Amino acid sequence: MAKYRKITAILLGIIIVMIIGEQFSPVQRATARATASVYVALKYNSMDLAYQGVEYSPQFGDYFISYRSKEGKQLAFAVKSRRMPFIVSFDPLKQEA
């Protein structure tokens, strides 16, 4: 029983640290970049996209993470939410009718 309390306390501590950390801009930028990196790695691994940079747009409230394709085409993925959870709200490669 004590083992489960210890695990629960550790998990709760990690969650609290993450919530507090997300209040700071450098942590938000890093989390947005990580979100886009995981998204690109899972969906477009075969395209060999190279990370270029991250920029916050206060007008939209989104982070724009730029990538460059092998052909030199610039792509920007929008990552929404200034707080957790981060989600990719715009994918320039997604073909929708």
Side-chain angles (χ1 to χ4, degrees):
M1 194 66 151
K3 179 180 177 181
Y4 295 114
R5 285 186 184 161
K6 195 179 242 184
I7 291 173
T8 303
I10 290 171
L11 288 176
L12 187 60
I14 290 171
I15 291 170
I16 290 171
V17 167
M18 288 175 61
I19 290 171
I20 291 171
E22 282 298 317
Q23 305 304 314
F24 302 105
S25 183
V27 175
Q28 292 173 355
R29 291 175 80 86
T31 308
R33 180 181 176 192
T35 301
S37 295
V38 169
Y39 182 82
V40 167
L42 291 175
K43 288 207 161 223
Y44 306 111
N45 192 25
S46 63
M47 291 184 68
D48 252 355
L49 298 176
Y51 169 77
Q52 296 294 307
V54 61
E55 182 179 329
Y56 177 69
S57 173
Q59 294 85 1
F60 296 106
D62 292 351
Y63 284 93
F64 290 95
I65 295 81
S66 303
Y67 287 89
R68 184 175 301 273
S69 68
K70 287 188 278 188
E71 297 83 26
K73 185 178 179 184
Q74 187 81 10
L75 303 167
F77 293 85
V79 177
K80 193 150 213 54
S81 184
R82 290 195 53 148
R83 292 189 175 76
M84 293 188 344
F86 280 88
I87 45 175
V88 176
S89 61
F90 177 73
D91 180 347
L93 297 172
K94 201 176 212 178
Q95 299 295 327
E96 292 188 24

